[in-house]
Amino acid sequence: MELIQDLSFVHLVTNASLLVQLVMGLLLSVSLMSWWYIFLKLFAVRAAVKQASEFEDAFWGNSNLNALYQQANSQSRNDVGALERIFAAGFAEFVKLKKTHGVDSAAVMDGTRRAMRARYQREMDHLESHLSFLATVGSVSPYVGLLGTVWGIMNAFRGLSNVGQATLAQVAPGIAEALVATAMGLFAAIPAVVAYNRYAHDVTRLASRFESFIEEFSNVLQRQP
């Protein structure tokens, strides 16, 4: 019973060496931050997909581009999706260049595409924010946990050097303390890796939708009188 009590999780953490405790604290902080970003990106990506679908339906179901542009400008940023902002940037530039004397149609379309591309890049930067953090947590956390494990095992065997006869009861607490750091490293890394792969895939699909819309919208504008 005493051995079980000594090997409890709380006892192992509180009695670990200073370096191992620092590693555990770092991994816990990183894990909490990664979960925060995981939920932030979950809601952000879902909202972006929903808003893109809704605007595509409105765009192809309404031939009045001026009405769509006015609707996009009349709403707050939270109510306007990334695709709608790309449309608004391109349409505003198209109208401005159309009213400029001495600008041919090729220059108008070139400027319109540049405006949409610039807005597209800003939207992609926003969607990809914090993904690099998740990737870093997923790749580095196991090694940080391994550092705590190696240090803990070193301390355990160093303590045994002063003991005449080593027993399992003497070795187990030090080894278990060291392995807790590895477990915490994996606990931090696995959700971050899964979330990163999922969100990176979703963002890539959104990028493809945005690029396709830019080309399709450019074709629509080229047919405008």
Side-chain angles (χ1 to χ4, degrees):
M1 293 299 294
E2 184 66 24
L3 179 60
I4 296 175
Q5 182 180 0
D6 289 343
L7 292 181
S8 66
F9 179 79
V10 175
H11 181 86
L12 292 174
V13 172
T14 55
N15 289 276
S17 61
L18 178 60
L19 179 62
V20 176
Q21 287 183 341
L22 290 176
V23 168
M24 292 178 182
L26 175 62
L27 291 173
L28 180 61
S29 301
V30 166
S31 179
L32 292 175
M33 289 179 63
S34 66
W35 276 106
W36 172 254
Y37 289 137
I38 285 171
F39 283 109
L40 281 182
K41 298 309 296 183
L42 174 65
F43 296 127
V45 170
R46 281 185 177 179
V49 172
K50 179 182 177 182
Q51 290 170 332
S53 299
E54 291 176 349
F55 178 72
E56 283 180 332
D57 293 339
F59 177 82
W60 295 114
N62 187 355
S63 59
N64 190 340
L65 298 180
N66 284 296
L68 288 174
Y69 177 72
Q70 293 299 327
Q71 181 181 356
N73 280 341
S74 63
Q75 296 176 326
S76 64
R77 176 179 173 84
N78 293 332
D79 297 329
V80 178
L83 192 59
E84 196 167 357
R85 287 191 288 269
I86 293 172
F87 158 79
F91 188 75
E93 187 68 14
F94 175 79
V95 172
K96 183 177 72 174
L97 293 176
K98 271 288 189 179
K99 293 179 180 179
T100 304
H101 296 290
V103 180
D104 59 16
S105 59
V108 170
M109 292 309 305
D110 186 54
T112 301
R113 286 193 180 93
R114 284 201 303 270
M116 287 192 289
R117 283 288 173 182
R119 183 76 250 183
Y120 160 84
Q121 192 58 54
R122 287 193 290 271
E123 297 298 334
M124 292 307 301
D125 289 341
H126 176 70
L127 286 172
E128 291 174 350
S129 62
H130 307 311
L131 287 183
S132 60
F133 176 80
L134 294 178
T136 302
V137 171
S139 59
V140 174
S141 292
Y143 296 103
V144 176
L146 183 61
L147 172 64
T149 298
V150 172
W151 186 263
I153 291 176
M154 286 172 55
N155 282 339
F157 281 104
R158 190 163 51 191
L160 291 177
S161 63
N162 299 322
V163 179
Q165 183 178 2
T167 63
L168 180 61
Q170 293 169 330
V171 177
I175 301 299
E177 164 199 317
L179 293 178
V180 168
T182 297
M184 293 185 68
L186 295 176
F187 179 78
I190 292 173
V193 171
V194 173
Y196 172 80
N197 290 334
R198 177 60 187 178
Y199 296 149
H201 172 73
D202 292 340
V203 170
T204 300
R205 293 189 62 183
L206 280 171
S208 299
R209 291 179 67 176
F210 294 167
E211 290 178 342
S212 297
F213 176 81
I214 290 173
E215 296 303 319
E216 292 168 346
F217 185 41
S218 298
N219 293 334
V220 171
L221 292 177
Q222 282 181 327
R223 296 193 293 267
Q224 295 296 309

